[in-house]
Amino acid sequence: MGSQGGFYQSKEFLDLVKSIGEARSKAEEDRIVLNEIETLKRRISEPDIPKRKMKEYIIRLVYIEMLGHDASFGYIHAVKMTHDDSLLVKRTGYLAVTLFLNEDHDLIILIVNTIQKDLKSDNYLVVCAALNAVCKLINEETIPAVLPQVMELLAHPKEAVRKKAIMALHRFYQKSPSSVSHLVSNFRKRLCDNDPGVMGATLCPLFELIARDVNSYKDLVISFVSILKQVAERRLSKAYDYHQMPAPFIQIKLLKILALLGSGDKQASENMYTVVGDIFRKCDSSSNIGNAVLYECICCVSSIYPNPKLLESAADVISRFLKSDSHNLKYMGIDALGRLIKISPEIAEQHQLAVIDCLEDPDDTLKRKTFELLYKMTKSTNVEVIVDRMIDYMISINDNHYKTEIASRCVELAEQFAPSNQWFIQTMNRVFEHAGDLVNIKVAHNLMRLIAEGFGEDDDNADTKLRLAAVESYLRILGEPKLPSVFLQVICWVLGEYGTADGMFSASDITGKLCDVAEAYSNDETVKAYATTALMKIYAFEIAARRKVDMLPECQSLMEELLASHSTDLQQRAYELQAVIGLDAHAVACIMPSDASCEDIEVDRDLSFLNDYIQEAIEKGAQPYIPESERSGMLNISNFRNQDHHEASSHGLRFEAYELPKPAVQSRIPQTLIASTEIVPVPEPMYPRESYQTTMPSIPSDAGSAELKLRLEGVQKKWGRSTYTPATSTSNSTSQKTVNGTSQGDGASTVSSMRETYDSRKPQVEVSHEKQKLAASLFGGSSKTEKSPATGHKAAKASSHVVEKSHVPKSSLEVASEKATPAQQPPDLLDLGEPTATSTALQLDPFKQLEGLLDATEVASAVNGAPAASRSPDIMALYADTAAGIHNKNDADLLSGLSNPSVTNMPGTTAMPQVTQSSSKGPNPKDSLEKDALVRQMGVNPSSQNPNLFKDLLG
């Protein structure tokens, strides 16, 4: 067959498959595939390839992709095959593209039109191929393009087309529920389709719809029960049988749907009892598919309203599962038993020995499932045996993830069903010792809370015994060589709170143990911190009881070591310990009351103590605080304070055209005069922005040797004469480097888990006395679940310390500046003698002002700052002032204003640069040259007369 090209494939292709199958290594396989890729690249690009050959090439590409290699060079050829008129070629093309492409691939757009055309084809095989591609390739954006054609196909005469149309609609619903929400009623109609295949396909979308909204489909219970009854009575064609089971997959899906509809609904469940009981009686348990249907029946019975007869039938099936030699069936039996004991706990007692056998089974998966069952059936009479078994299993495994899960379950069971305080403390100690740091820190906190609050039964004596047992056990455990960090934290906390509470142990004994812990675990800062705080509590309780405090030498040395620690946390705790020891008894009793760890802490969430301060600030002109929820659509508040920094939302594209440039005025001034031209920097903007703009007399520019001059060496003139070279240039290059003192705007910070009835047909096996004793321990006693009342443990009194930052309006700085006097600043080494304005952003600490640490004169001094002449020039202010000052002025006015700045510092206001218009008229050669040189330095074309150009450049 291979020599003749069997299955309509060439011998070359069959040899390829054979050689890959006989490859001895992955490298040899890759070599064969790479050679095949090169061959296909060469052949697939040849002109006029026969359809039969192209079809084989595409199949070989599919084979290459399945082996993990890239065949993207042939994707477009597969897309072309979907356009072919030949049915065989078209179906091959659709098969290839569904395997090659995903729904977001760029080539999908080339297939949509073809799919639309094929969905209207008269050949139902072409329609089916197109529907297959729809399910795989149509994404959310292209659903509307094919949805009308798919809806029409729901009434197609061919059942295969109707079935695939239902599947396509289901896929649409999964991808975009909103796009087909108005078509959901079609699923109900197709449930009554004459073809069982179409009806079975409809069950899948209906299951998802019912899981999302059960109440909307309660009226379909009778229909589902009727369909299930007909299937169970073998009224369907034998073509739907599987291993002599009538349509088992339809039965399983129907049982899942009935479990959803009957949950907690007695009336709906009563309609299901008969058909579910018939399946229990008629189902064949000799095959895997039969056992799967029986397992689904048990799940359904455990979900719907309980019925005694069905529960008994389910228990018989579980018994057969547990007695089977197959581990898979045993696993199903344990899982099903765990579902039923929620409804009827006494069922577990019928299978106690079988559960013990599964607990001792070498199969780890089965053993874990059995522990889950034991966890569900734990009560006060068997908690000791179950928890001890779980801890022993936890010790024997190396899986850290499952170790953590078992530890948390042991803690939970011990808290709920602890028979005595002594057992509870011992169990928790074992969990912490063997699980180590895998135990969740929340478990440690819950244990501390439990010991502090007690069992909540208003029995102070029982709580005292619990704490005493904890202290005794922890003092004994501290002698062990290595303990987990989380466990040590619990030990230190308990010893600090209750170590000397009953007077059984002296303060010196407890403090000595704590110092030993801090010394033995010196590398663990958290343990040292807990130990230090425990020492502070013990000494505080001794001082409050007016007993003499004798600090041990090792405690003294520990405190000295911590006082010089690099850790600020440890250092602070040491200073607190030192301060507490020096206080009197009354003060210590107020600071650290005894046994007060569970007292509530009152927190003023509204910060009402700041109301007077806020009101006073508003009366002085401060802006009220705007809640974050009300700021939508507004600019950031910093936009009103800072002229230089703009939010990204205020930026946008500008579409208006610029004005046509006017001819530049050429300068005819000698070069010697050009070289002496001065540039007067424009002062940087002041803050805040709301202050008034005034003028002050101009300061004469007689800086002498520090004079700032224009450097034009080697600069090509773009306007005026072709080139020129200045005769002299006295300005130093370093003098043009300025310090930008403006602070950048801060981004907004947005202030975070039995009796065993063995089959009589099997030979009787004698049960060992040890196993009988274990079963009696696990399943003996009352069969009712006994859980301690909810008041057994007080709810954690978590007090969240919420600190809300109060908003201090920036305008309060202006109020302080009204009464201020200017303060002299030290001279700036980079001062070049030009008048500049001062910025208050770097002079005032708003946190100190909030805390009241600055008086009025200091605030005012920080606001006004030093004289403008003592500040270094900021070249960036040139841009900011240009944007602020040239909005409606001509260029000549702009340049003359820049060369003659005048600023006046009036009392009670903050200085802002005011650009004045020059009184000179007509073209001035010197001004034109200054304009030319200045704007070249700024990098702006001076010939542009449109002021919006500067505005666009500056944002």
Side-chain angles (χ1 to χ4, degrees):
M1 183 175 64
S3 61
Q4 298 175 357
F7 303 111
Y8 303 102
Q9 305 301 330
S10 65
K11 184 177 182 300
E12 185 179 1
F13 176 50
L14 297 178
D15 290 340
L16 170 67
V17 176
K18 182 179 179 181
S19 62
I20 290 177
E22 295 175 350
R24 298 179 179 272
S25 64
K26 185 68 170 63
E28 184 179 354
E29 176 187 303
D30 291 342
R31 180 180 56 79
I32 296 172
V33 173
L34 291 176
N35 291 335
E36 179 66 16
I37 290 175
E38 294 299 324
T39 303
L40 288 176
K41 281 183 179 180
R42 185 176 64 255
R43 293 185 178 180
I44 208 169
S45 59
E46 296 175 355
D48 300 330
I49 303 177
K51 292 181 179 180
R52 183 171 177 273
K53 281 288 184 182
M54 180 59 74
K55 172 176 167 289
E56 180 181 321
Y57 292 158
I58 295 299
I59 293 176
R60 289 159 75 168
L61 286 175
V62 170
Y63 196 65
I64 289 172
E65 282 264 335
M66 292 170 59
L67 292 172
H69 294 264
D70 180 34
S72 57
F73 63 90
Y75 290 177
I76 188 62
H77 298 282
V79 172
K80 290 179 180 178
M81 288 182 67
T82 62
H83 305 161
D84 200 281
D85 295 332
S86 171
L87 175 62
L88 191 58
V89 175
K90 181 182 287 288
R91 294 182 67 181
T92 304
Y94 273 126
L95 173 64
V97 296
T98 55
L99 295 175
F100 287 157
L101 309 181
N102 57 65
E103 62 183 22
D104 297 321
H105 200 278
D106 296 336
L107 294 177
I108 294 297
I109 194 65
L110 302 177
I111 306 176
V112 174
N113 287 337
T114 305
I115 291 177
Q116 289 177 320
K117 184 187 70 173
D118 290 341
L119 288 176
K120 298 177 181 180
S121 174
D122 296 334
N123 189 336
Y124 80 96
L125 294 176
V126 173
V127 177
C128 289
L131 286 172
N132 288 338
V134 164
C135 295
K136 292 282 188 178
L137 302 178
I138 296 300
N139 53 30
E140 186 175 355
E141 288 75 17
T142 52
I143 285 176
V146 297
L147 184 58
Q149 291 93 329
V150 174
M151 289 300 303
E152 293 175 0
L153 294 176
L154 290 176
H156 198 277
K158 282 291 184 178
E159 60 275 4
V161 175
R162 298 198 301 272
K163 177 179 177 181
K164 291 184 182 293
I166 290 290
M167 296 169 64
L169 278 181
H170 184 200
R171 186 62 173 164
F172 293 165
Y173 177 78
Q174 291 176 333
K175 288 181 178 292
S176 178
S178 60
S179 63
V180 294
S181 58
H182 60 291
L183 304 173
V184 170
S185 59
N186 289 276
F187 294 132
R188 287 173 172 262
K189 297 177 183 178
R190 292 300 102 195
L191 192 63
C192 303
D193 196 282
N194 294 329
D195 185 73
V198 178
M199 179 271 300
T202 310
L203 295 177
C204 296
L206 282 175
F207 176 75
E208 292 189 13
L209 292 168
I210 293 171
R212 183 167 296 186
D213 184 11
V214 175
N215 295 326
S216 300
Y217 297 89
K218 290 284 188 180
D219 57 318
L220 292 179
V221 171
I222 303 299
S223 300
F224 288 129
V225 169
S226 175
I227 294 172
L228 181 59
K229 184 178 181 180
Q230 295 180 51
V231 173
E233 291 176 354
R234 298 180 180 272
R235 295 191 182 181
L236 298 185
S237 168
K238 285 191 174 293
Y240 294 95
D241 287 2
Y242 180 78
H243 286 268
Q244 300 181 357
M245 278 291 297
F249 301 106
I250 294 179
Q251 290 190 54
I252 290 174
K253 186 62 71 174
L254 284 169
L255 288 169
K256 287 179 180 288
I257 293 175
L258 292 178
L260 293 175
L261 294 172
S263 179
D265 190 338
K266 184 177 181 181
Q267 182 179 359
S269 299
E270 288 175 349
N271 295 321
M272 309 173 189
Y273 292 157
T274 302
V275 65
V276 175
D278 291 342
I279 295 176
F280 271 126
R281 289 190 299 271
K282 296 179 180 179
C283 195
D284 181 19
S285 61
S286 61
S287 63
N288 286 334
I289 191 65
N291 291 325
V293 174
L294 288 174
Y295 171 77
E296 204 59 52
C297 286
I298 297 173
C299 295
C300 181
V301 169
S302 64
S303 298
I304 65 177
Y305 195 84
N307 178 270
K309 292 184 179 180
L310 291 181
L311 289 175
E312 185 178 351
S313 300
D316 293 339
V317 174
I318 290 174
S319 176
R320 294 202 299 269
F321 286 167
L322 292 175
K323 289 185 293 186
S324 172
D325 295 331
S326 170
H327 285 82
N328 293 332
L329 293 181
K330 284 184 178 180
Y331 186 93
M332 288 172 55
I334 293 293
D335 183 78
L337 189 60
R339 294 174 182 269
L340 285 188
I341 60 173
K342 299 176 183 178
I343 304 172
S344 179
E346 62 272 8
I347 292 180
E349 298 180 6
Q350 305 173 11
H351 311 287
Q352 48 186 334
L353 294 180
V355 173
I356 298 299
D357 290 338
C358 294
L359 197 61
E360 298 174 350
D361 197 280
D363 189 338
D364 200 57
T365 305
L366 182 59
K367 189 180 294 186
R368 292 186 181 187
K369 197 66 180 179
T370 307
F371 275 117
E372 291 181 13
L373 171 64
L374 295 179
Y375 169 75
K376 295 176 183 177
M377 56 182 284
T378 303
K379 47 191 176 184
S380 58
T381 57
N382 60 8
V383 63
E384 298 182 48
V385 180
I386 292 177
V387 171
D388 287 344
R389 281 274 179 161
M390 293 175 73
I391 294 177
D392 291 339
Y393 179 66
M394 181 184 68
I395 297 173
S396 64
I397 62 177
N398 296 321
D399 186 352
N400 290 340
H401 175 75
Y402 195 62
K403 234 179 191 180
T404 305
E405 184 178 350
I406 292 184
S408 62
R409 287 182 175 179
C410 290
V411 172
E412 182 181 347
L413 294 178
E415 289 180 356
Q416 289 182 357
F417 306 106
S420 64
N421 298 339
Q422 189 75 20
W423 179 86
F424 174 76
I425 297 298
Q426 290 178 355
T427 301
M428 298 304 297
N429 293 347
R430 288 186 66 193
V431 171
F432 278 107
E433 282 185 67
H434 298 292
D437 292 326
L438 297 175
V439 180
N440 195 323
I441 190 66
K442 292 181 180 179
V443 174
H445 293 166
N446 290 339
L447 176 59
M448 292 185 240
R449 174 185 54 80
L450 184 62
I451 294 175
E453 296 179 352
F455 284 96
E457 298 174 354
D458 298 330
D459 187 356
D460 294 337
N461 189 29
D463 295 343
T464 302
K465 290 182 178 179
L466 171 66
R467 295 161 184 163
L468 178 60
V471 171
E472 290 178 349
S473 63
Y474 292 156
L475 288 175
R476 183 174 60 254
I477 290 174
L478 282 178
E480 297 186 7
K482 185 64 177 176
L483 293 173
S485 176
V486 177
F487 193 25
L488 286 168
Q489 296 171 27
V490 176
I491 292 175
C492 291
W493 186 87
V494 172
L495 292 181
E497 286 283 343
Y498 308 107
T500 59
D502 58 348
M504 188 171 182
F505 300 99
S506 64
S508 59
D509 294 339
I510 303 297
T511 55
K513 289 285 189 180
L514 291 172
C515 290
D516 293 341
V517 170
E519 181 181 357
Y521 299 89
S522 58
N523 294 330
D524 193 334
E525 291 189 358
T526 306
V527 173
K528 291 176 72 174
Y530 269 84
T532 306
T533 303
L535 288 172
M536 181 168 58
K537 291 179 184 178
I538 292 173
Y539 286 130
F541 298 156
E542 292 294 303
I543 294 173
R546 302 184 184 278
R547 289 191 288 265
K548 184 180 179 181
V549 176
D550 294 327
M551 183 173 285
L552 299 176
E554 52 266 32
C555 295
Q556 185 67 38
S557 62
L558 174 63
M559 190 171 68
E560 292 174 357
E561 175 190 345
L562 297 181
L563 287 173
S565 174
H566 293 292
S567 171
T568 55
D569 179 51
L570 294 177
Q571 196 177 86
Q572 179 180 347
R573 292 173 190 261
Y575 276 111
E576 290 174 356
L577 173 58
Q578 191 178 49
V580 167
I581 292 176
L583 297 176
D584 57 12
H586 178 70
V588 171
C590 293
I591 295 173
M592 301 189 68
S594 178
D595 195 17
S597 60
C598 295
E599 291 185 1
D600 293 331
I601 300 176
E602 296 182 2
V603 178
D604 186 0
R605 298 177 181 272
D606 298 328
L607 303 178
S608 58
F609 58 89
L610 289 175
N611 288 345
D612 295 338
Y613 171 79
I614 299 288
Q615 187 63 30
E616 181 182 354
I618 292 177
E619 290 175 357
K620 291 182 180 181
Q623 292 185 358
Y625 173 72
I626 302 175
E628 188 175 358
S629 58
E630 299 177 8
R631 299 179 201 167
S632 59
M634 295 179 58
L635 292 176
N636 195 298
I637 294 178
S638 62
N639 289 354
F640 300 101
R641 303 293 181 195
N642 194 333
Q643 180 177 347
D644 293 337
H645 307 296
H646 298 277
E647 284 290 323
S649 60
S650 65
H651 292 187
L653 293 175
R654 298 180 181 272
F655 297 98
E656 62 269 20
Y658 291 119
E659 295 181 4
L660 293 175
K662 296 181 180 180
V665 179
Q666 297 186 358
S667 174
R668 301 185 179 182
I669 305 301
Q671 296 183 359
T672 55
L673 182 57
I674 296 175
S676 62
T677 301
E678 297 179 359
I679 294 179
V680 182
V682 180
E684 64 182 50
M686 283 293 295
Y687 304 96
R689 183 178 175 182
E690 290 85 352
S691 57
Y692 297 96
Q693 296 182 355
T694 59
T695 60
M696 65 178 290
S698 59
I699 301 173
S701 177
D702 52 355
S705 61
E707 184 179 12
L708 180 63
K709 296 182 179 179
L710 185 63
R711 298 190 63 188
L712 300 173
E713 299 95 338
V715 178
Q716 180 182 2
K717 264 198 89 162
K718 297 185 180 180
W719 300 281
R721 288 192 295 266
S722 58
T723 57
Y724 68 94
T725 305
T728 60
S729 179
T730 60
S731 152
N732 195 337
S733 61
T734 58
S735 66
Q736 296 184 13
K737 298 180 181 178
T738 60
V739 179
N740 189 359
T742 58
S743 58
Q744 298 297 325
D746 295 322
S749 301
T750 304
V751 177
S752 156
S753 207
M754 286 177 224
R755 293 189 309 268
E756 163 91 349
T757 55
Y758 280 103
D759 197 341
S760 58
R761 290 173 294 180
K762 290 190 175 184
Q764 298 294 330
V765 180
E766 183 177 356
V767 182
S768 65
H769 176 69
E770 181 180 355
K771 186 175 295 188
Q772 291 179 354
K773 185 177 180 180
L774 177 59
S777 301
L778 286 173
F779 304 94
S782 174
S783 61
K784 296 181 180 180
T785 305
E786 301 175 12
K787 291 195 176 183
S788 58
T791 58
H793 305 293
K794 298 177 183 177
K797 302 174 182 178
S799 300
S800 59
H801 302 272
V802 180
V803 180
E804 298 181 0
K805 296 184 179 178
S806 62
H807 176 73
V808 181
K810 294 184 179 180
S811 60
S812 61
L813 302 181
E814 303 170 16
V815 178
S817 68
E818 293 179 357
K819 304 177 182 179
T821 59
Q824 182 66 32
Q825 288 186 346
D828 196 328
L829 296 179
L830 294 178
D831 178 25
L832 300 178
E834 291 79 14
T836 58
T838 58
S839 174
T840 62
L842 299 178
Q843 303 296 328
L844 178 63
D845 188 350
F847 297 97
K848 289 187 178 181
Q849 184 197 12
L850 175 61
E851 298 169 359
L853 299 179
L854 292 176
D855 57 19
T857 59
E858 291 175 340
V859 175
S861 175
V863 172
N864 288 334
S870 64
R871 295 298 300 256
S872 60
D874 189 350
I875 196 66
M876 294 308 295
L878 198 63
Y879 293 91
D881 288 342
T882 301
I886 69 169
H887 188 58
N888 289 318
K889 293 181 175 57
N890 295 327
D891 286 347
D893 297 338
L894 166 68
L895 269 299
S896 60
L898 291 177
S899 61
N900 296 281
S902 59
V903 181
T904 300
N905 195 0
M906 296 296 290
T909 63
T910 304
M912 287 291 289
Q914 174 70 30
V915 181
T916 60
Q917 186 173 2
S918 174
S919 60
S920 61
K921 297 183 179 180
N924 188 337
K926 181 177 179 178
D927 290 348
S928 298
L929 185 57
E930 287 179 6
K931 166 188 171 183
D932 182 11
L934 174 62
V935 180
R936 179 182 292 109
Q937 184 175 352
M938 294 169 56
V940 180
N941 188 339
S943 65
S944 175
Q945 299 297 318
N946 187 4
N948 288 333
L949 174 60
F950 291 92
K951 187 175 180 180
D952 291 351
L953 290 174
L954 300 176

mmCIF file of all heavy atoms in Angstrom, residues 201-216:
data_model
loop_
_atom_site.group_PDB
_atom_site.id
_atom_site.type_symbol
_atom_site.label_atom_id
_atom_site.label_comp_id
_atom_site.label_asym_id
_atom_site.label_seq_id
_atom_site.Cartn_x
_atom_site.Cartn_y
_atom_site.Cartn_z
ATOM 1 N N ALA A 201 -27.037 18.367 21.657
ATOM 2 C CA ALA A 201 -26.168 19.535 21.525
ATOM 3 C C ALA A 201 -26.757 20.736 22.253
ATOM 4 O O ALA A 201 -26.022 21.604 22.742
ATOM 5 C CB ALA A 201 -25.946 19.856 20.052
ATOM 6 N N THR A 202 -28.100 20.819 22.331
ATOM 7 C CA THR A 202 -28.748 21.943 23.001
ATOM 8 C C THR A 202 -28.546 21.892 24.511
ATOM 9 O O THR A 202 -28.596 22.930 25.189
ATOM 10 C CB THR A 202 -30.244 21.948 22.671
ATOM 11 O OG1 THR A 202 -30.415 21.843 21.257
ATOM 12 C CG2 THR A 202 -30.918 23.207 23.166
ATOM 13 N N LEU A 203 -28.300 20.718 25.082
ATOM 14 C CA LEU A 203 -28.146 20.594 26.535
ATOM 15 C C LEU A 203 -26.915 21.354 27.050
ATOM 16 O O LEU A 203 -26.934 21.869 28.168
ATOM 17 C CB LEU A 203 -28.047 19.110 26.921
ATOM 18 C CG LEU A 203 -29.285 18.247 26.657
ATOM 19 C CD1 LEU A 203 -29.001 16.797 27.025
ATOM 20 C CD2 LEU A 203 -30.484 18.779 27.427
ATOM 21 N N CYS A 204 -25.882 21.438 26.222
ATOM 22 C CA CYS A 204 -24.651 22.109 26.684
ATOM 23 C C CYS A 204 -24.856 23.607 26.916
ATOM 24 O O CYS A 204 -24.539 24.113 27.994
ATOM 25 C CB CYS A 204 -23.524 21.856 25.686
ATOM 26 S SG CYS A 204 -23.053 20.126 25.544
ATOM 27 N N PRO A 205 -25.417 24.383 25.944
ATOM 28 C CA PRO A 205 -25.669 25.802 26.259
ATOM 29 C C PRO A 205 -26.719 25.985 27.343
ATOM 30 O O PRO A 205 -26.623 26.920 28.144
ATOM 31 C CB PRO A 205 -26.131 26.386 24.918
ATOM 32 C CG PRO A 205 -26.567 25.239 24.097
ATOM 33 C CD PRO A 205 -25.726 24.089 24.520
ATOM 34 N N LEU A 206 -27.728 25.112 27.403
ATOM 35 C CA LEU A 206 -28.736 25.241 28.447
ATOM 36 C C LEU A 206 -28.134 25.025 29.837
ATOM 37 O O LEU A 206 -28.540 25.689 30.803
ATOM 38 C CB LEU A 206 -29.874 24.242 28.201
ATOM 39 C CG LEU A 206 -30.888 24.633 27.127
ATOM 40 C CD1 LEU A 206 -31.889 23.512 26.901
ATOM 41 C CD2 LEU A 206 -31.608 25.916 27.505
ATOM 42 N N PHE A 207 -27.187 24.129 29.952
ATOM 43 C CA PHE A 207 -26.534 23.912 31.248
ATOM 44 C C PHE A 207 -25.843 25.186 31.733
ATOM 45 O O PHE A 207 -25.945 25.552 32.909
ATOM 46 C CB PHE A 207 -25.536 22.753 31.126
ATOM 47 C CG PHE A 207 -24.743 22.515 32.381
ATOM 48 C CD1 PHE A 207 -25.306 21.905 33.492
ATOM 49 C CD2 PHE A 207 -23.414 22.915 32.467
ATOM 50 C CE1 PHE A 207 -24.577 21.694 34.648
ATOM 51 C CE2 PHE A 207 -22.671 22.709 33.614
ATOM 52 C CZ PHE A 207 -23.255 22.089 34.710
ATOM 53 N N GLU A 208 -25.151 25.873 30.812
ATOM 54 C CA GLU A 208 -24.485 27.117 31.209
ATOM 55 C C GLU A 208 -25.498 28.201 31.559
ATOM 56 O O GLU A 208 -25.290 28.971 32.514
ATOM 57 C CB GLU A 208 -23.565 27.592 30.082
ATOM 58 C CG GLU A 208 -22.368 26.690 29.856
ATOM 59 C CD GLU A 208 -21.365 27.288 28.881
ATOM 60 O OE1 GLU A 208 -21.488 28.505 28.572
ATOM 61 O OE2 GLU A 208 -20.484 26.560 28.412
ATOM 62 N N LEU A 209 -26.583 28.276 30.810
ATOM 63 C CA LEU A 209 -27.603 29.274 31.107
ATOM 64 C C LEU A 209 -28.270 29.012 32.447
ATOM 65 O O LEU A 209 -28.532 29.940 33.224
ATOM 66 C CB LEU A 209 -28.650 29.299 29.992
ATOM 67 C CG LEU A 209 -28.181 29.824 28.625
ATOM 68 C CD1 LEU A 209 -29.220 29.526 27.554
ATOM 69 C CD2 LEU A 209 -27.929 31.322 28.698
ATOM 70 N N ILE A 210 -28.553 27.750 32.742
ATOM 71 C CA ILE A 210 -29.204 27.409 34.005
ATOM 72 C C ILE A 210 -28.255 27.642 35.187
ATOM 73 O O ILE A 210 -28.671 28.112 36.256
ATOM 74 C CB ILE A 210 -29.683 25.945 33.974
ATOM 75 C CG1 ILE A 210 -30.807 25.791 32.951
ATOM 76 C CG2 ILE A 210 -30.153 25.481 35.338
ATOM 77 C CD1 ILE A 210 -31.214 24.355 32.681
ATOM 78 N N ALA A 211 -26.977 27.349 35.003
ATOM 79 C CA ALA A 211 -26.015 27.594 36.075
ATOM 80 C C ALA A 211 -25.928 29.071 36.408
ATOM 81 O O ALA A 211 -25.668 29.447 37.555
ATOM 82 C CB ALA A 211 -24.639 27.054 35.666
ATOM 83 N N ARG A 212 -26.189 29.935 35.405
ATOM 84 C CA ARG A 212 -26.128 31.376 35.646
ATOM 85 C C ARG A 212 -27.427 31.887 36.257
ATOM 86 O O ARG A 212 -27.411 32.802 37.077
ATOM 87 C CB ARG A 212 -25.823 32.092 34.333
ATOM 88 C CG ARG A 212 -25.659 33.577 34.436
ATOM 89 C CD ARG A 212 -25.056 34.164 33.176
ATOM 90 N NE ARG A 212 -23.701 33.678 32.946
ATOM 91 C CZ ARG A 212 -22.914 34.120 31.975
ATOM 92 N NH1 ARG A 212 -23.361 35.060 31.143
ATOM 93 N NH2 ARG A 212 -21.704 33.626 31.821
ATOM 94 N N ASP A 213 -28.574 31.342 35.862
ATOM 95 C CA ASP A 213 -29.868 31.817 36.372
ATOM 96 C C ASP A 213 -30.822 30.629 36.444
ATOM 97 O O ASP A 213 -31.473 30.277 35.452
ATOM 98 C CB ASP A 213 -30.417 32.915 35.459
ATOM 99 C CG ASP A 213 -31.703 33.510 35.992
ATOM 100 O OD1 ASP A 213 -32.054 33.223 37.157
ATOM 101 O OD2 ASP A 213 -32.373 34.251 35.251
ATOM 102 N N VAL A 214 -30.922 30.006 37.619
ATOM 103 C CA VAL A 214 -31.713 28.787 37.779
ATOM 104 C C VAL A 214 -33.205 29.078 37.698
ATOM 105 O O VAL A 214 -33.969 28.347 37.044
ATOM 106 C CB VAL A 214 -31.369 28.107 39.122
ATOM 107 C CG1 VAL A 214 -32.270 26.900 39.358
ATOM 108 C CG2 VAL A 214 -29.918 27.685 39.150
ATOM 109 N N ASN A 215 -33.643 30.144 38.329
ATOM 110 C CA ASN A 215 -35.080 30.390 38.455
ATOM 111 C C ASN A 215 -35.763 30.610 37.111
ATOM 112 O O ASN A 215 -36.965 30.351 36.981
ATOM 113 C CB ASN A 215 -35.317 31.610 39.359
ATOM 114 C CG ASN A 215 -34.867 31.354 40.777
ATOM 115 O OD1 ASN A 215 -34.972 30.230 41.271
ATOM 116 N ND2 ASN A 215 -34.354 32.372 41.445
ATOM 117 N N SER A 216 -35.033 31.075 36.113
ATOM 118 C CA SER A 216 -35.647 31.337 34.814
ATOM 119 C C SER A 216 -35.960 30.062 34.038
ATOM 120 O O SER A 216 -36.666 30.127 33.017
ATOM 121 C CB SER A 216 -34.727 32.226 33.962
ATOM 122 O OG SER A 216 -34.500 33.461 34.593
#
